[in-house]
Amino acid sequence: MGSIADGSNSDLMMPPRTELLLQHRLTMIEALLEEVLQDECGQDLVDLLQQLRSMCSPEGQAPRVPEAEVLKVVEKLELGEAIRAARAFALYFQLINIAEQHYEQEASIYRTHGSLQERHVAPAATADGAAASQTPYTDARGGSAEHIENSLYEMTPPDHNLGTFSWLFPQLKRLNVPTRHIQQLIDALDVKLVFTAHPTEIVRSTIRNKQRRIVSLLSDLDAVESGLAARTRADWELDAARSLLTEEIRFWWRTDELHQFKPEVLDEVEYGLHYFDEVLFDAIPQLYRRLSQNLQEAFPQLQPPQYDFCKFGSWVGSDRDGNPSVTPEITWQTACYQRDLVLQKYISAVTKLIDLLSLSMHWCDVRPDLLDSLEQDQLLMPEIYDQLAIRFRQEPYRLKLSYILKRLKNTRDRNSQQTQGGDLFAAPLATTLQEPQYYTNVEAFLSELLVINQNLQGTGLHCRELEDLICQVEIYGFNLTQLDIRQDSSYHSDAITEIADYLQILPQPYNELSEAERTQWLIQELQTRRPLIPTELPFSDRTKETIDTFKVARRLQEEFGQDICRTYIISMCHDVSDLLEVLLFSKETGLYDPATHRGTLHVVPLFETVDDLKRAPEVMTALFELPLYRTYLNAETSTETTENDNPEAEGAAPLALQEVMLGYSDSNKDSGFLSSNWEIYKAQQSLQKTAAPYGVSLRIFHGRGGSVGRGGGPAYEAILAQPGRTIDGRIKITEQGEVVASKYSLPELALYNLETITTAVIQASLLRSTIDDIDPWHEIMEDLSARSRKKYRSLIYEQDDFVDFFYQVTPIQEISQLQISSRPSRRRKGNTLDSLRAIPWVFSWTQSRFLVPAWYGVGTALEEFLTENSAEHLSLLQFFYAKWPFFKMVVSKVEMTLSKVDLQIAHHYVHELSKPEDRERFEHVFQQISDEYYLTRKLILMITGRKQLLDGDPNLKRSVQLRNGTIVPLGFLQVSLLNRLRNHQSLNAAGTGVRSQYSKGELLRGALLTINGIAAGMRNTG
């Protein structure tokens, strides 16, 4: 399930009734599961589970009985018994996760709707838009903001709807934010959420469907119990509802939890589309309505935003970085699949509108433009007229919608032909359809809907269903999402090296040129109209694949429109030449015109390591200094007439837009949690200052993962913790793996997540904090960051025994065999930490309960700082925690992660999985980790002023403790099964001829089932 660590809903304070209902449901679910297990496996399994749980502390951390006693029970289990126990614990975790998510949804409904009648009425607005109150407002573009800081960052208000539109707009009114600033921000609002296929989703889609079924059954139970209290339902209905839930649990128990095969890319595409089909397509109009209604209630004179203020992107099927399975053909099919889904949605919506809009010309007026449109349709599609003219002769709306429906179906049929369309780079597929019979672009479809809507409004009617459809068309178009292409920078430089060598146009290999020489040559090539790449490609497969990627981007834009694929992300971007190389390939494939300097592909650098984050401002400065690149940016921006880039004055030309992506995962793996977060924070500020003098507006793209070790955490707090002026009404964020499932599986949770993100963007843009500009605070954070990085790297990269320790005492080897992604777990061959991706790195530490990437090094940094002046520096850090959103966010994430660490079970992994000859040196490594953990915990509690971790967040504390006690026996089971598996492999490798009682496949299956279970219990993978 979704991650507590991702924090999508961890800030949801449940109302008392919902909390009590959750506790009641958890008790009931546990009883039903025990009933199912007793029927399916007998009382022995139930007794074993109870014995294992009773031997461990309910809070986790320590067995109640000596560890040897627990081991004695676990080690004597037959493999089948161990697997059944692991499955039972895993199912328990899945069920309580579902219950929590269901009642989190109930809490989100309460937060967004519960206080509409209770809100204080703000003072009436004066003529200039400021409220008639003495409360001061300081322009967000500069000056002191002490009052705002006190109002928003210090207080701990009782508002149950904090972070929602119903809280935000009355707050803006109370703080006298000028309406012109609010309107400018609303007009420029630009929220983009990008779904990725990163392999952190360990749960099968089959199991996801069962989870949704159980949520539905829980809702039925709630309704029946509520009805019993009101005496409107009967006892037999409660028994029936419980029986249905029991049977669903029984079906689940008999279903395999593990993926049956390694998913292909198109499987991942289908999985991602499911969330749009089931939840997001219909949720977006509701989000727009919520924002508009709450804005109008507080500021009746203001205009709502554009329908498409919140849009979606996707990397699924287009992200090539390290995944050779993503080919041009796959990307093309992905675009076709997306278009098919959205067309099916439109067909369904128009079919319903035909039924709904039964207005007769006998009883309502019809404007000439609709009648003219019908005459044109009769000429272009006479067969529809002949078929329906008599039936709908007095019902013009139905007739018009019937023409639209036929065009949509023709467009869908043509898309099906394109999906199977042979050579991608040949001429477009021939079709028997004429253009007026299908839609060549979404604008034609939208214009017809607008004609209908304007006619309805002109006669005093409003059709919500039609308005929702128009909203959906504005957001999703015919593409559903924008596909971002991503590739490693080395692919481009290697391809250019091979091309230049073949043509013999450089005195030495391109890769051996200095950065200045590369840049000079690239600029020269970008200014000539002469093609560089020959028509025939006598190159390596890798180079041909690189060239074909740009060709398919051009082909996609020709078929689907430019919006389908406008972003090309360069991972591991180090220099200016990395961006110019992509621009050169764009020129060679018709995506950039050297004559006009116009391009249709945004070149986006991704700065991932700490060194690259530090150099990012220098790289972007050098890039903006190039006249060719500035001209390209300006020309590119001028073609996007639909995008409002928040000009500083009315009528001003939009600023050139440059998107820059910042990577959380690799920087954390490289330098640790504190250093990574601080470098990203600094990079945002520096990049903003870098861009401003060149008239460039930045969009920061945050590459956040699900776990804290990869940038995860509550999105609302994370956005507010960004430095001032870096949001400015726009943000782009990745949503990955299990985070997608936790945030978007249920409609109200999806809406709540979208609402809190949008609220945070508006709040952070209008109510900026000047705290971000206090240099002495920055100097302290710089010092803490450097100390933390040094401590982290001393363990990860400088401790000689660490790599062996990691590979032996964590289940990294087994995790790599999980069938959860089409992408390899390593960027390249080799057994080094550098080649290992951040996701399995974090996943392994989470399974073994160390969670090292999310906290290690923080304690030492804080202790060394406090040692210099204990009392004064502690007061200062406590002041930071109270006043500075960034520092509070960092401390809160560390506190949450520490609450999930269990060093006693972690030590069990070390003791049992280490080879005998390595145990002594590994004990030394463990002691280093242990010392740092206890130091970090002590200092975090000193800063927060609390006695125990998570005392300030009782909901999260309850959720963590609910799982901790049961995860411990599952950890013992995992270690036992890993030991058996690894011993089996050692015996086979040694060729001793000794046969194991079980096959490798059986043992691996058992180990993988425990990985599934712990992931569910921790509510987190990577």
Side-chain angles (χ1 to χ4, degrees), residues 123-133 135 137 173 176-183 299 301-302:
T126 59
D128 69 352
S133 164
T135 304
Y137 170 78
K173 193 162 193 172
N176 282 343
V177 179
T179 54
R180 68 181 183 278
H181 291 166
I182 299 174
Q183 188 68 68
F299 301 98
Q301 70 275 38
L302 296 187

Side-chain angles (χ1 to χ4, degrees), residues 142-161:
S144 171
E146 182 179 353
H147 171 70
I148 295 170
E149 290 161 18
N150 289 339
S151 300
L152 292 171
Y153 296 118
E154 277 187 279
M155 68 182 193
T156 53
D159 303 80
H160 69 267
N161 60 348

Side-chain angles (χ1 to χ4, degrees), residues 385-450:
Y385 180 81
D386 294 340
Q387 180 185 350
L388 298 173
I390 295 176
R391 182 180 177 186
F392 294 150
R393 64 182 181 275
Q394 294 299 325
E395 296 175 332
Y397 293 100
R398 282 181 160 176
L399 184 57
K400 179 62 185 175
L401 286 165
S402 297
Y403 285 118
I404 291 173
L405 181 62
K406 182 60 177 176
R407 287 194 179 98
L408 284 172
K409 289 181 177 180
N410 287 342
T411 307
R412 177 200 59 194
D413 294 343
R414 180 181 176 277
N415 183 65
S416 296
Q417 295 174 346
Q418 295 285 333
T419 305
Q420 307 300 327
D423 186 356
L424 281 180
F425 309 123
L429 269 177
T431 176
T432 57
L433 297 170
Q434 300 299 314
E435 284 198 4
Q437 296 175 321
Y438 69 92
Y439 292 114
T440 58
N441 55 64
V442 74
E443 288 75 20
F445 174 43
L446 180 61
S447 66
E448 295 197 291
L449 296 178
L450 291 174

Side-chain angles (χ1 to χ4, degrees), residues 265 319-327 330 491 545 822-824:
V265 178
D319 177 14
R320 286 146 167 76
D321 182 17
N323 191 347
S325 300
V326 180
T327 63
I330 289 293
Y491 274 69
E545 185 84 7
S822 65
R823 189 174 75 161

Side-chain angles (χ1 to χ4, degrees), residues 657-925:
L657 178 65
Q658 174 69 60
E659 186 172 301
V660 176
M661 186 171 183
L662 305 179
Y664 288 70
S665 300
D666 284 287
S667 59
N668 191 306
K669 182 168 169 272
D670 175 47
S671 293
F673 174 74
L674 182 57
S675 176
S676 168
N677 278 267
W678 178 241
E679 292 301 336
I680 288 172
Y681 184 92
K682 284 195 306 176
Q684 291 184 73
Q685 285 190 314
S686 300
L687 287 167
Q688 193 73 38
K689 292 174 183 176
T690 296
Y694 297 97
V696 174
S697 178
L698 281 185
R699 178 195 288 134
I700 301 295
F701 185 2
H702 298 265
R704 304 171 76 232
S707 63
V708 169
R710 295 182 51 248
Y716 176 75
E717 287 85 351
I719 293 171
L720 293 184
Q722 302 309 308
R725 300 184 179 85
T726 62
I727 301 295
D728 202 22
R730 63 163 62 93
I731 199 166
K732 190 173 179 181
I733 308 172
T734 55
E735 300 279 41
Q736 301 183 8
E738 67 201 6
V739 178
V740 175
S742 76
K743 292 181 178 180
Y744 302 109
S745 288
L746 303 178
E748 280 297 331
L749 276 183
L751 272 170
Y752 179 76
N753 176 64
L754 296 171
E755 182 172 350
T756 54
I757 288 175
T758 306
T759 297
V761 170
I762 298 172
Q763 183 178 335
S765 302
L766 289 172
L767 304 173
R768 298 168 180 151
S769 171
T770 55
I771 285 173
D772 298 315
D773 300 320
I774 300 177
D775 289 337
W777 291 23
H778 284 205
E779 291 170 7
I780 292 170
M781 276 308 305
E782 187 70 22
D783 178 63
L784 291 172
S785 172
R787 296 176 193 267
S788 176
R789 183 174 194 261
K790 181 180 179 182
K791 179 66 175 179
Y792 175 87
R793 290 189 65 85
S794 71
L795 173 71
I796 309 299
Y797 295 101
E798 297 168 14
Q799 162 61 262
D800 293 336
D801 299 325
F802 181 79
V803 173
D804 292 340
F805 176 89
F806 172 68
Y807 280 104
Q808 284 191 42
V809 308
T810 75
I812 178 60
Q813 302 168 49
E814 292 73 24
I815 284 172
S816 65
Q817 297 181 65
L818 280 169
Q819 308 280 17
I820 61 174
S821 174
S822 65
R823 189 174 75 161
S825 62
R826 293 183 176 276
R827 291 183 183 271
R828 53 191 174 274
K829 293 181 180 179
N831 213 31
T832 64
L833 293 184
D834 288 337
S835 66
L836 184 67
R837 288 189 177 277
I839 291 170
W841 164 256
V842 173
F843 197 169
S844 302
W845 289 116
T846 304
Q847 287 280 310
S848 52
R849 304 299 299 279
F850 284 99
L851 286 83
V852 164
W855 59 269
Y856 194 85
V858 175
T860 292
L862 295 172
E863 182 191 44
E864 290 177 358
F865 178 68
L866 290 175
T867 301
E868 295 174 359
N869 190 327
S870 181
E872 182 180 333
H873 284 187
L874 177 59
S875 296
L876 187 59
L877 293 176
Q878 291 171 336
F879 186 75
F880 284 3
Y881 181 73
K883 289 279 190 177
W884 193 2
F886 168 76
F887 190 79
K888 183 171 185 177
M889 181 260 309
V890 167
V891 170
S892 297
K893 284 185 178 183
V894 172
E895 181 184 14
M896 186 280 298
T897 306
L898 293 174
S899 73
K900 299 173 81 173
V901 173
D902 186 337
L903 285 186
Q904 289 193 292
I905 190 66
H907 185 261
H908 180 66
Y909 278 76
V910 176
H911 187 267
E912 293 298 317
L913 296 178
S914 302
K915 295 176 182 177
E917 63 270 24
D918 294 326
R919 197 160 291 151
E920 184 177 346
R921 62 192 183 106
F922 286 179
E923 284 290 342
H924 177 65
V925 177

